[in-house]
Amino acid sequence: MPRGVVPRQPARTGRQDKVSGALTPMSAKPSQKQLSRAKTAPVKAKAAPLSKATKAAKSAKGYNPIAPERVAEILKRLNELYPQVTCALTHKSAWELLVATILSAQSTDVNVNRVTPELFRKYPTVEAFAALPHEQLEPDVRSTGFFRNKSKSVVGAAKKIVADFGGQVPDDIDKLLTLPGVARKTANVVLGSWFKKAVGVVVDTHVHRISRRLELTKENDPQKIEQDLMKIIPQDRWILFSHQVIWHGRKLCFARKPKCVECPLENICHAGDKTWSTVEMHKKVVG
Ligand code: SF4
């Protein structure tokens, strides 16, 4: 894009006047509002120029959103944007991470991190949790929402870990999935972030939304999304990819009003619910 030229807001329909190709920048003059937004955008947030690989992929006949070159470009830009991100849930052991992940359902990591330090001070071991009636835990986790179910899951998981796994959180997905309240997302978080085992891809609400916006999947079911992602992302990137996309969802790619104007993935993202675009938007693609 030429210096000083900022594309105008896209039409709500996603149709772009004067856009002849998927990556053709628009040349309308920026409004005052856009200029001030662009000035406040962090340096990192400038859209990276297209790599040769992406240009080659775009010039090929037919658009393939999961072409290896496009996927590699997405991974490259995520690496540049979030080079060293890790799990945002505070934890000191596999058990603490398991509990924090169970509590994070329908809640925020910030909220969970407010609750867990006192929780683990009060009940320092898995055995301490296993000895509780689940009702006793409810006031401690109330602020994370769905506290009755979460209390049952945490105490139930503790009881099973003590009874069947010698008090140790298992590092095996099949065993983890036998614990109450543990589905693939939670199991993948524990395996990836604590045991460093890339068994699957964590699909939380951010990965769900952003994978769809970036057309890495058309699925809506988390398990099917995970299967799609596992096919196109190299296994050695599964753990980091999830962390990076979760951070992207927190920092820029919000469910409502994503900050597309600041997003380094903008010129390779065709989501129909973008708030700003220099490229053709695909109306049916939404997060
Ligand atoms: S929807 Fe916007 S913020 Fe999200 S990836 Fe696309 S351009 Fe970036």
Side-chain angles (χ1 to χ4, degrees), residues 87 97-98 101 170-174 176-177 182-204 207 222-223 225-227 229-230 235 238-240 242-243 246:
C87 180
L97 180 56
L98 180 67
T101 311
D171 61 353
D172 175 278
I173 187 140
D174 293 325
L176 280 168
L177 291 175
V182 176
R184 279 196 70 91
K185 186 200 90 173
T186 303
N188 279 329
V189 169
V190 174
L191 288 171
S193 291
W194 184 262
F195 294 110
K196 309 299 175 206
K197 285 189 170 183
V199 178
V201 179
V202 173
V203 179
D204 76 337
V207 178
Q223 289 206 24
I225 292 175
E226 186 188 357
Q227 291 307 311
L229 295 175
M230 286 164 73
Q235 189 169 6
W238 289 356
I239 299 171
L240 186 58
S242 301
H243 290 318
I246 290 168

Side-chain angles (χ1 to χ4, degrees), residues 18-117:
K18 297 180 186 172
V19 174
S20 55
L23 292 169
T24 310
M26 301 169 76
S27 57
K29 277 200 166 189
S31 68
Q32 204 52 46
K33 191 176 170 192
Q34 284 167 339
L35 279 174
S36 64
R37 282 175 81 183
K39 274 181 198 161
T40 56
V43 175
K44 264 189 172 180
K46 281 183 188 166
L50 292 174
S51 69
K52 278 183 190 165
T54 307
K55 280 179 185 161
K58 292 306 302 178
S59 63
K61 241 190 175 183
Y63 167 67
N64 176 10
I66 56 167
E69 298 84 355
R70 182 173 184 272
V71 175
E73 184 67 24
I74 290 170
L75 297 180
K76 180 172 155 262
R77 293 190 194 189
L78 285 172
N79 262 354
E80 287 162 4
L81 192 56
Y82 309 107
Q84 284 178 338
V85 285
T86 52
C87 180
L89 292 167
T90 310
H91 62 279
K92 293 199 281 302
S93 67
W95 168 246
E96 290 191 4
L97 180 56
L98 180 67
V99 174
T101 311
I102 291 173
L103 297 180
S104 72
Q106 310 291 322
S107 186
T108 63
D109 293 342
V110 174
N111 221 356
V112 173
N113 289 341
R114 264 192 220 120
V115 166
T116 47

